[in-house]
Amino acid sequence: QVQLVESGGGLVQDGGSLRLSCADSGSISGINVMGWYRQSPGKQRELVASSDNGGNTNTAESVKGRFTISRDNVKNTVYLQMNNLKPEDTAVYYCYADVPRADLRFERYWGQGTQVTVSS
């Protein structure tokens, strides 16, 4: 069973930085993709960044050049370094992990979410 525990959110001023962490406390092996979504009030959940277990990453255009995703496959932990934060980055950030199943599909697990607030 995958249990994702997030940390690192908080309040920061415009232009500041935060680092989010998401660790799997369930000690499961073989996680494929780990990444981050975010959701702000009145908006759909948006994919921010993802990383597969081969080191390939994907980052949304809205955060490219400011956010960097990284991953420790041994610790089953994914990080999101957020620099030059803007008020429009304010949202609840959710990490996720895709785990392969016996039927060759993936099961998606979610963290509890962590609030990031950027003040102007």
Side-chain angles (χ1 to χ4, degrees), residues 104-117:
L104 303 184
R105 301 179 71 175
F106 290 93
E107 189 78 28
R108 176 161 290 183
Y109 295 86
W110 293 95
Q112 79 280 7
T114 185
Q115 176 71 46
V116 171
T117 303

Side-chain angles (χ1 to χ4, degrees), residues 50-65:
S50 62
S51 174
D52 68 19
N53 55 10
N56 301 302
T57 62
N58 179 46
T59 307
E61 286 297 321
S62 59
V63 304
K64 198 164 287 186

Side-chain angles (χ1 to χ4, degrees), residues 38-119:
R38 67 185 181 185
Q39 188 166 23
S40 52
K43 294 186 178 181
Q44 288 189 332
R45 191 172 289 194
E46 172 191 21
L47 176 64
V48 178
S50 62
S51 174
D52 68 19
N53 55 10
N56 301 302
T57 62
N58 179 46
T59 307
E61 286 297 321
S62 59
V63 304
K64 198 164 287 186
R66 299 187 297 121
F67 291 11
T68 303
I69 188 170
S70 61
R71 181 172 168 179
D72 185 329
N73 288 330
V74 174
K75 296 180 179 179
N76 277 350
T77 300
V78 65
Y79 306 95
L80 187 67
Q81 177 66 43
M82 304 185 293
N83 298 328
N84 191 21
L85 282 159
K86 304 176 181 180
E88 52 264 40
D89 296 317
T90 296
V92 178
Y93 284 70
Y94 298 91
C95 74
Y96 73 94
D98 290 337
V99 179
R101 304 187 322 195
D103 62 359
L104 303 184
R105 301 179 71 175
F106 290 93
E107 189 78 28
R108 176 161 290 183
Y109 295 86
W110 293 95
Q112 79 280 7
T114 185
Q115 176 71 46
V116 171
T117 303
V118 185
S119 63

